[in-house]
Amino acid sequence: MAVPHPRPAAALVLAAALAAAGLGPAASPAAAATVPVGAGSYSDTRPAGTSGPTTNTGAPVTPKVTPAAQGKPVPTNDWWSSLAFQRYGDNPYSTPMYGHPLTYQATAGGLDIGYPTSPAIVGEGRQYEFAHKRDLTLGLTGLNSPDTKADAWSDWTVTPYWSDGTRTLRTTIGHGSPFVYAQGSGGNAQITTASTPTVFADQGNVLGITVAGHHYALFAPTGTDWNVSGTTVSTALGGRNYFSLAVLPSTDALATFKKYAFSFVTGSRVDWSTAGGTVRATYTLTTEAREGTERGTLQALYRHQWLHTTDALTPYTYVSPRGTMKVREAASFTTVQKAAPVLPGLPRTADIDTAALRARLNEAAYASDPFSGAVDTYWTGKALGKLAQLVPLADQIGETATRDRLLSLLRGRLQDWFTAGGANEFSYDPAWKTLTGYPASYGSDTELNDHHFHYGYYVYAAAIVAQYDPGWAADSAWGGMVRTLVRDTANPARTDGAFPFLRGFDVYAGHSWASGHQGFAAGNNQESSSESTNLSAALVLWGSATGDTTLRDLGSYLLATEGEAIAQYWFDADQQVFPASFGHDTAGMVWGSGAAYATWWTANPEEIHGINVLPVTGGSLHLGGHKEAIRRNIAEMERENGGPAVEWRDILWEFQSLADPAAAKTKWDAGNGAYTPEAGESRAHTYHWITSLAALGAPDTSVTGDIPTSAVFSKAGVRTYVAHNHGSAARTVTFSDGKTLNVPARSTATGTGTATDPDPQPSTGNTFRLRSGGVLTTATGGTPGSDTIPSAGGTNHDGTPYKPLVYEVRGVNGTLRPGGTTTFRLPVDAGTAVGLGQQVRISYDLTGDGTFDRTETYHYFATDPIQGWEEYNQTRGLKSATGGLGNLANGTVRLEVWSAIGNADSRLQTGTDTAVVVIPYD
């Protein structure tokens, strides 16, 4: 629950159950041992007078798990953490858990299950909720358990456990699963409904019922029979101990769901890789056939997932607080995204006034108290981040004394915290298997909140030190403590017995959660998504600086994934997630049940809009991938604020510069530096950031480099390529548009790029270039031009071609590459027109017989109202696909481009080597 500033108790409009409670200190043992880690150390016992995890009444609490799970690191800060963290002493079961599409709450009699499909707008219109509401309870006859414990868990599934001494019940639930899998003993299977159910199908051991307008299927072992009596549905299990339940997207889906009713999920796992500027992640469920041999299953993908997969999806969909979920009929799926750009700092441009920057650097570096009185982990972290941002800037203008002073300040404060026994230290809790910094803040100790927010600043600062002082970052020196903080917050290892796997990051939800206990009626929450991605970017920088490719690639995966989740769920970039009744273009907080236009500590619009931007660093560039969303965001802030920002003007200027650098520069110039910087910012950094982007242009995230520490900027159609090489030897960085950049060792290089291979990356097959007249050709060296895409006439044509431009090539022969996918890069321009969106369909006639065997329709691309080419590519994601790919034998490939929305014409570039379609064939 990101809390970067003190907050009044009534700051956020939520139900009383969501209010934060005051906590008292817990007793601590008198003696502590010091655990050495390289040159640093941490304590194995909390400092005297401090607290570890507690209930809301201040009583110490330990993980609520079964003997089978005892001693295993508990993944706090998850969507289901209230099963294991009994935050409220009078609730030994759980608070509502939002798995989506289903919601859950453990009770004495079993698992309450709901499927909320209608949002409620609460808090004077400032929050939307798909709140948990019980449709039915899955349990056993007579079950009356005194508590519910976590029995097992994996990457996004969990198994709650009930026992009353006579009866035991285990269920397996997970993100994206329409099924609940149950195993019970000592009683009959029992489903208790909230109202009298309507039976729409009765097949003995398979029963279809409708409750509160939602359709459920109940599955018992073959040979058994469900009995309906009022609101109770039960069956003897015939000597077996398993049954399952599923929420159906429609009654006619029963046959499909029946196929997988006894393919019980036993685990979940994500695997990721990064290469060539692309991040690939595969999400896999392991299953066990309780009857028959079926091992497949059904999974509902969130929007941030189905936008980036080419795997086949069924027509079935579900409602969720994150927009439409789409169903895949398989035990795994893969997403492919462009890596998010990360730089240690923006490069120097000719527009930077050296004297002005020097003066502002001195203001921060030589302040009487550069750390602004910070003592706890959060505020110390912000101060570290502020100073670390300035190191590359001082280096750029040859201010080596200032650079070295800043590095000395960073090293000194980090080493202070990385050494046990002083006024501040890190302490390990063996019960919760977590590392907590003391003095703590905002519940990082008693509630295990926000570790990724706090420690991300430390890792970021350490990465900047490592860039200039590799010896300091060695494991035998201070790097070991940095890695220990990483293990606490973003541990990539599932077999580490000291820390859980990816504590705060929910791999299926696509983002982190802030609350350690998840003890709210609205589920878990995250406010400052940008402080979460600050940790991810820090991992990229730390891994690059220390040669740790595992942590570097982990950071790339986390940043690409959460960057898309932020765009969709915090900023509603495609305007497809927030309910129309919500009435806001941004959310300050995302909850399991929905989102809120709010923060924990204030209702000031500047902070609501800015909290998901700060800290602004070279890891913030991914935000520039959705420029129209930034414009809507800034416009809403100014409407709600009654004018431009005042308190956090620097943060919001920097945010605006990611879409409209010139407009942000105008505001900076008008302010003339006469303002109070946000606590994690400085005038030096803000001046450099805004001036540099005004010169370079906004980030162009459609192009990626083949190392994570690279970025591309575009101004008036001219791209500038930037990369930082942490290595000890020069290297050539290749970008996805074919340009290259030579980067000396331990340096940042900037240039317009050298053309080599014009094919887009990944170069998975034959490249066809667009020519006016409807031609696709492999020939290079065309005459640059453009074709006019007719207006949509103010009518929505999303998914259906309307007056399309058609480009075609016939007589194509090729062998399909296994796992290959279609890619394309289409420069489009809407001029100054507002509200336009171009759409693409690519079709394959495999044999040239006139029938298209495979069609792929991609989500439309919302162009900006600024003249200049923008790149529309396959990363927008498939909207729909029919048929399958196979080898091409005298086949035909067709490209159709049309206006899906809008009432003005637009343009499509032709005749260049940058307007291409690449098919996955050899």
Side-chain angles (χ1 to χ4, degrees):
M1 61 173 74
V3 189
H5 293 277
R7 64 185 187 273
L12 181 64
V13 181
L14 287 174
L18 304 186
L23 300 171
S28 176
T34 296
V35 180
V37 181
S41 59
Y42 63 85
S43 172
D44 69 353
T45 308
R46 294 191 308 274
T50 63
S51 295
T54 66
T55 67
N56 60 313
T57 61
V61 64
T62 55
K64 187 161 59 77
V65 299
T66 65
Q70 203 67 242
K72 296 179 180 178
V74 175
T76 56
N77 308 74
D78 216 330
W79 69 275
W80 57 265
S81 294
S82 62
L83 277 172
F85 194 137
Q86 189 176 339
R87 174 66 178 154
Y88 294 95
D90 58 353
N91 180 7
Y93 304 104
S94 81
T95 54
M97 301 174 289
Y98 292 82
H100 307 143
L102 290 171
T103 61
Y104 313 97
Q105 185 167 12
T107 63
L111 185 66
D112 288 355
I113 299 168
Y115 173 39
T117 52
S118 298
I121 304 300
V122 300
E124 299 179 346
R126 298 172 71 85
Q127 183 169 344
Y128 75 85
E129 287 189 322
F130 289 79
H132 168 70
K133 182 179 180 182
R134 171 182 170 263
D135 284 343
L136 45 80
T137 301
L138 181 151
L140 302 173
T141 53
L143 178 64
N144 185 23
S145 179
D147 58 25
T148 309
K149 297 181 174 72
D151 185 57
W153 51 82
S154 51
D155 288 8
W156 64 89
T157 58
V158 63
T159 299
Y161 172 86
W162 295 257
S163 177
D164 61 11
T166 301
R167 290 156 286 267
T168 63
L169 174 68
R170 288 177 174 83
T171 63
T172 297
I173 56 178
H175 272 316
S177 178
F179 284 97
V180 177
Y181 308 94
Q183 180 177 314
S185 64
N188 293 336
Q190 179 174 282
I191 308 296
T192 307
T193 57
S195 59
T196 302
T198 300
V199 176
F200 66 82
D202 188 348
Q203 302 172 12
N205 70 317
V206 177
L207 189 72
I209 61 174
T210 301
V211 182
H214 304 141
H215 309 300
Y216 291 90
L218 315 181
F219 304 101
T222 300
T224 61
D225 191 14
W226 290 99
N227 175 65
V228 181
S229 177
T231 58
T232 301
V233 185
S234 61
T235 183
L237 295 174
R240 287 154 290 183
N241 66 354
Y242 55 86
F243 60 105
S244 64
L245 171 156
V247 62
L248 304 180
S250 60
T251 56
D252 61 8
L254 179 60
T256 299
F257 279 68
K258 179 180 177 180
K259 178 180 178 182
Y260 302 107
F262 301 110
S263 179
F264 275 40
V265 168
T266 58
S268 55
R269 180 185 175 99
V270 63
D271 293 285
W272 61 85
S273 62
T274 66
T278 298
V279 177
R280 180 181 295 268
T282 299
Y283 300 81
T284 303
L285 293 173
T286 54
T287 62
E288 175 182 85
R290 305 306 293 268
E291 287 189 8
T293 59
E294 179 60 60
R295 297 291 300 274
T297 190
L298 296 163
Q299 300 181 76
L301 278 63
Y302 283 115
R303 180 175 181 82
H304 76 276
Q305 296 169 323
W306 56 256
L307 280 174
H308 295 285
T309 188
T310 56
D311 292 343
L313 303 175
T314 72
Y316 300 130
T317 62
Y318 289 103
V319 173
S320 87
R322 311 292 179 252
T324 300
M325 300 183 79
K326 297 188 177 185
V327 178
R328 173 157 167 78
E329 190 174 2
S332 70
F333 64 91
T334 297
T335 61
V336 180
Q337 293 181 253
K338 288 183 178 294
V342 178
L343 294 172
L346 293 184
R348 182 182 181 182
T349 66
D351 289 7
I352 294 292
D353 183 322
T354 300
L357 180 57
R358 181 186 301 116
R360 292 184 172 100
L361 285 167
N362 290 343
E363 177 184 274
Y366 296 96
S368 59
D369 180 6
F371 289 93
S372 304
V375 295
D376 62 39
T377 48
Y378 180 74
W379 290 100
T380 297
K382 283 181 72 74
L384 287 166
K386 175 180 68 176
L387 298 176
Q389 292 168 3
L390 302 179
V391 173
L393 313 190
D395 192 47
Q396 285 176 10
I397 62 173
E399 291 294 311
T400 55
T402 301
R403 178 201 66 193
D404 292 345
R405 172 173 169 77
L406 290 165
L407 288 169
S408 179
L409 288 169
L410 295 174
R411 279 190 296 254
R413 189 55 60 98
L414 287 169
Q415 290 168 200
D416 186 28
W417 275 88
F418 290 169
T419 304
N424 36 253
E425 67 177 21
F426 286 96
S427 171
Y428 182 73
D429 185 322
W432 286 97
K433 300 190 183 301
T434 187
L435 195 73
T436 302
Y438 292 94
S441 49
Y442 306 121
S444 60
D445 49 355
T446 55
E447 303 177 47
L448 298 186
N449 296 338
D450 299 358
H451 284 201
H452 59 313
F453 295 157
H454 297 204
Y455 303 171
Y457 288 106
Y458 292 71
V459 179
Y460 175 82
I464 296 298
V465 174
Q467 180 179 328
Y468 294 89
D469 187 354
W472 182 91
D475 286 351
S476 59
W478 298 96
M481 278 300 295
V482 178
R483 293 178 186 279
T484 305
L485 265 64
V486 171
R487 287 170 67 199
D488 179 76
T489 54
N491 189 2
R494 296 177 179 82
T495 56
D496 187 339
F499 297 96
F501 171 69
L502 296 180
R503 179 186 304 280
F505 192 79
D506 185 328
V507 297
Y508 206 88
H511 60 80
S512 296
W513 295 111
S515 169
H517 54 77
Q518 188 259 312
F520 303 100
N524 213 323
N525 73 91
Q526 179 158 267
E527 183 182 59
S528 183
S529 60
S530 49
E531 287 182 302
S532 180
T533 55
N534 184 49
L535 171 61
S536 303
L539 291 174
V540 172
L541 294 175
W542 173 261
S544 298
T546 61
D548 188 332
T549 57
T550 296
L551 289 184
R552 181 200 66 188
D553 293 350
L554 168 63
S556 289
Y557 162 67
L558 297 177
L559 186 59
T561 305
E562 190 156 22
E564 183 63 37
I566 291 166
Q568 299 300 329
Y569 311 142
W570 274 261
F571 297 151
D572 198 15
D574 297 335
Q575 298 182 289
Q576 297 292 314
V577 173
F578 294 171
S581 53
F582 181 46
H584 292 284
D585 288 318
T586 192
M589 308 173 71
V590 163
W591 289 85
S593 64
Y597 185 78
T599 73
W600 276 106
W601 82 98
T602 182
N604 183 7
E606 295 186 31
E607 279 89 341
I608 292 171
H609 288 259
I611 191 58
N612 287 291
V613 178
L614 61 79
V616 178
T617 74
S620 304
L621 299 173
H622 68 95
L623 295 170
H626 298 274
K627 295 177 176 58
E628 191 56 38
I630 294 176
R631 297 185 183 105
R632 290 196 304 268
N633 193 305
I634 295 294
E636 180 181 23
M637 185 280 297
E638 294 186 347
R639 288 194 307 270
E640 294 283 339
N641 204 43
V646 176
E647 294 182 28
W648 278 9
R649 64 184 76 182
D650 46 359
I651 297 297
L652 292 162
W653 290 339
E654 290 172 313
F655 185 37
Q656 186 173 20
S657 70
L658 294 169
D660 298 311
K665 181 67 160 52
T666 298
K667 291 179 178 179
W668 163 267
D669 289 342
N672 198 31
Y675 67 95
T676 301
E678 187 274 331
E681 260 298 339
S682 63
R683 289 184 181 87
H685 179 260
T686 303
Y687 164 71
H688 184 277
W689 181 273
I690 291 174
T691 305
S692 297
L693 286 180
L696 296 167
D700 182 350
T701 58
S702 68
V703 181
T704 59
D706 63 2
I707 63 171
T709 51
S710 59
V712 179
F713 303 87
S714 180
K715 182 178 181 180
V718 176
R719 285 174 174 159
T720 299
Y721 302 81
V722 182
H724 184 84
N725 176 13
H726 285 88
S728 57
R731 66 164 297 164
T732 298
V733 176
T734 301
F735 291 84
S736 59
D737 62 355
K739 294 295 183 69
T740 61
L741 185 67
N742 294 320
V743 190
R746 303 192 183 284
S747 300
T748 296
T750 304
T752 55
T754 301
T756 53
D757 176 9
D759 291 354
Q761 297 293 323
S763 56
T764 53
N766 290 330
T767 301
F768 292 93
R769 296 159 180 84
L770 281 66
R771 299 289 186 264
S772 293
V775 174
L776 291 176
T777 178
T778 56
T780 60
T783 301
S786 65
D787 289 343
T788 298
I789 307 172
S791 164
T795 303
N796 189 310
H797 300 288
D798 186 11
T800 305
Y802 174 75
K803 298 181 180 179
L805 298 176
V806 180
Y807 303 85
E808 194 171 87
V809 59
R810 299 186 180 186
V812 181
N813 297 296
T815 302
L816 178 66
R817 287 189 175 183
T821 59
T822 308
T823 64
F824 60 88
R825 187 171 72 251
L826 302 177
V828 294
D829 179 30
T832 59
V834 177
L836 273 60
Q838 295 76 41
Q839 194 157 31
V840 158
R841 182 166 75 182
I842 298 172
S843 304
Y844 294 86
D845 173 357
L846 299 178
T847 60
D849 64 359
T851 299
F852 285 98
D853 304 280
R854 166 78 171 177
T855 62
E856 301 173 356
T857 303
Y858 291 82
H859 290 280
Y860 68 75
F861 177 76
T863 43
D864 65 35
I866 299 174
Q867 290 186 339
W869 296 111
E870 300 174 78
E871 184 178 282
Y872 176 19
N873 57 53
Q874 75 285 345
T875 62
R876 291 300 302 148
L878 278 173
K879 177 180 177 63
S880 64
T882 62
L885 288 172
N887 293 338
L888 282 164
N890 198 38
T892 300
V893 179
R894 175 183 291 176
L895 166 71
E896 298 167 272
V897 185
W898 70 96
S899 295
I901 56 172
N903 55 10
D905 294 344
S906 53
R907 293 187 303 149
L908 172 65
Q909 190 179 90
T910 61
T912 69
D913 290 338
T914 57
V916 298
V917 174
V918 183
I919 63 173
Y921 288 84
D922 292 322

